[in-house]
Amino acid sequence: MGRFFRRRKDSEEETPRDEVLVSHTEPESDSAAEALAEVGPVDDDAAHTVEEAAERTRKGWFSKIGGLFKRGGIDEALWEDLEETLVLADTGAQTTMRIIDDVRGKVKDEKINDPEAALGILKDEMVTVLDVDTGRGKIWHSNGQKETLPKPAVILVVGVNGTGKTTSIGKLAHAYVARDLKVVLAAGDTFRAAAIEQLKHWGERAGVDVVAHQQGADPGAVVFDAMAAASKRNADVLIIDTAGRLHTKAHLMDELRKINKIIQRTVPDAPHEVLLVLDATTGQNAMQQAKYFTEAVGVTGVLLSKLDGTAKGGVVFSVCDQLGVPVRFVGTGERPQDLAPFEPRQFVEALFAG
C-alpha cells in the first residue's frame, strides 16, 4: 500500500476567508497525471472484484438471459423473452429495443443458426452500448488524448443523498493516496451535519485534509476556501463533495451551477471531471437522476455504487446508451479499497459468467 499523508494541525485546517485566490498554473507531472488516471485497488487480492460485485446481478435476470440461448433454436419466442428479461433487468425499453434490433439484424445478415453464436453477438452489442467514451473530462477518458492537468486537478462529485456519494469520495481518496498523490477533500454538502462528519471520517481513514465549515454554511464559500487551500498545500487533486437533496428541486441544480462558477474563477477549465454517483439498486430512478445532473453540470462520468447489492443492474446500459455518459468506476463493496475501474467487456462477461 502507498503511504498515508499526515493530517494538518487544527490551526492549519482553515484558509483565511480574506485570502486572495491563488492562480493554479503549475502543471501536473506526467507521472502524477498517469496516477490520476489509474484509479483502482493497488492490492488486488484485498479488493472485491467487479465479478464478485456483479454476482447478484448475474444470478438474477442475466442468468435467465443465458438460459434463453440454451433452449435450442433461434425463433421469435427467443427475441420476445429476451426483450422482456432485459426490461425487467432495468435496461430500459429504448435501450432494450436498440440491443435486440441490432442483434437480430446481425444474426440475420450473418445467417447464424447457433444460439451460442447469437449469444456472443448479444455480448458484443452490450459491450458496444457501454463503450461510449466521448473524451468527456480531462482525467479518465481513454480516447488517446494526452492532457497536461493543472495542479490540483479538480473533481466535482454529485449525486442524490443515499447513493453512497460520500463513501465513494472516500474510496477515491484512498486510491489516490495509495498512489502517493496528495489529496484534499472539500465538504461542500453543508446541508447535513452527518455528511460533513462522514467526509471528515473518510479523510482520517485515508490520511488526507478535509476543508469544512459548519452545517448551514454557504457551499460556495467552502469550495472557495478549498480551492485556495489545495493550491497552498500543493495538492495533486481536490475532490469536492456536494449536496444531494431532492434532485428534482431546481434550487439544488442552481447551487451546483454556482459551485461550478466559483471553481472556474480560479481554474477556468475546471472541474476536470464531474463524477455522478448512481446507486445501482435504484433501477430506472438512477436514469432520471443522471438526466437531471447531466443537464445541470455536464457530467463527465458515472460511478456505479452498490452493484453488489442488486439482482438487476441493467440501468448501466440505459445511462450509457441514452445519455452518452461513460461509467468510470464500480463500487464493489464497503471497504476503502473496494473501488474498481469499469471495463465494458469485463462487466459483460461477469454478467454471463458461470
Side-chain angles (χ1 to χ4, degrees):
M1 295 296 292
R3 62 184 173 88
F4 275 44
F5 287 99
R6 196 177 297 168
R7 288 181 57 79
R8 300 298 191 269
K9 296 179 181 178
D10 291 343
S11 60
E12 297 175 349
E13 278 296 327
E14 285 197 3
T15 301
R17 293 302 312 279
D18 57 353
E19 179 174 348
V20 177
L21 283 176
V22 181
S23 176
H24 297 228
T25 57
E26 180 183 349
E28 293 278 10
S29 66
D30 289 343
S31 59
E34 290 175 2
L36 279 166
E38 296 175 0
V39 176
V42 173
D43 185 354
D44 292 333
D45 292 335
H48 291 143
T49 65
V50 173
E51 288 85 352
E52 289 174 318
E55 183 176 1
R56 288 189 66 180
T57 300
R58 178 175 66 247
K59 290 181 176 179
W61 294 104
F62 284 89
S63 67
K64 297 180 181 181
I65 291 176
L68 296 177
F69 288 86
K70 294 178 181 179
R71 298 186 311 195
I74 300 175
D75 54 20
E76 192 63 31
L78 169 65
W79 303 120
E80 290 178 357
D81 290 345
L82 178 60
E83 176 184 347
E84 179 183 6
T85 306
L86 284 172
V87 170
L88 290 173
D90 278 335
T91 305
Q94 190 171 344
T95 300
T96 293
M97 292 313 302
R98 170 196 163 174
I99 291 173
I100 291 178
D101 288 347
D102 289 348
V103 172
R104 289 190 71 168
K106 291 177 181 177
V107 167
K108 180 179 179 180
D109 292 343
E110 298 176 22
K111 298 180 174 56
I112 292 174
N113 297 313
D114 178 18
E116 192 66 27
L119 178 60
I121 291 177
L122 172 62
K123 290 181 181 179
D124 289 343
E125 181 58 29
M126 295 172 79
V127 171
T128 298
V129 170
L130 296 175
D131 194 10
V132 295
D133 194 349
T134 58
R136 297 186 185 196
K138 296 181 173 65
I139 299 175
W140 301 314
H141 65 75
S142 57
N143 62 359
Q145 181 181 356
K146 298 296 183 182
E147 297 284 353
T148 300
L149 296 175
K151 187 174 183 178
V154 181
I155 302 171
L156 183 67
V157 183
V158 300
V160 302
N161 292 341
T163 58
K165 176 166 53 70
T166 305
T167 297
S168 297
I169 290 172
K171 292 179 180 180
L172 197 58
H174 174 87
Y176 280 142
V177 168
R179 284 164 173 75
D180 287 337
L181 294 178
K182 191 168 187 178
V183 180
V184 171
L185 305 181
D189 184 357
T190 61
F191 296 101
R192 295 185 304 128
I196 299 172
E197 293 306 313
Q198 186 183 10
L199 195 67
K200 287 181 178 179
H201 172 70
W202 275 103
E204 290 174 358
R205 292 183 72 178
V208 304
D209 290 335
V210 178
V211 177
H213 291 189
Q214 297 299 315
Q215 180 185 8
D218 179 8
V222 177
V223 173
F224 181 100
D225 285 356
M227 294 290 291
S231 178
K232 182 178 180 180
R233 298 169 191 181
N234 199 33
D236 295 295
V237 57
L238 170 64
I239 307 175
I240 302 172
D241 191 11
T242 59
R245 299 179 305 164
L246 298 176
H247 63 277
T248 56
K249 293 285 188 178
H251 68 265
L252 173 58
M253 298 305 165
D254 289 341
E255 190 66 48
L256 290 174
R257 294 187 189 100
K258 175 185 173 183
I259 289 173
N260 244 1
K261 290 179 180 178
I262 291 172
I263 293 171
Q264 290 166 359
R265 284 172 55 191
T266 308
V267 183
D269 65 342
H272 304 104
E273 295 285 349
V274 179
L275 184 65
L276 171 63
V277 179
L278 293 177
D279 181 346
T281 67
T282 59
Q284 284 298 303
N285 283 337
M287 178 64 184
Q288 193 63 31
Q289 294 166 23
K291 287 181 179 178
Y292 278 111
F293 282 103
T294 299
E295 292 171 0
V297 288
V299 173
T300 63
V302 168
L303 187 157
L304 193 67
S305 69
K306 307 181 186 180
L307 180 62
D308 55 317
T310 180
K312 294 186 177 182
V315 67
V316 62
F317 293 97
S318 55
V319 169
C320 292
D321 178 44
Q322 299 301 309
L323 300 180
V325 177
V327 176
R328 296 301 190 192
F329 308 106
V330 176
T332 59
E334 298 180 356
R335 299 172 303 170
Q337 65 267 40
D338 290 334
L339 180 70
F342 181 82
E343 297 291 343
R345 173 63 66 179
Q346 179 191 35
F347 180 73
V348 171
E349 292 297 336
L351 292 179
F352 291 95

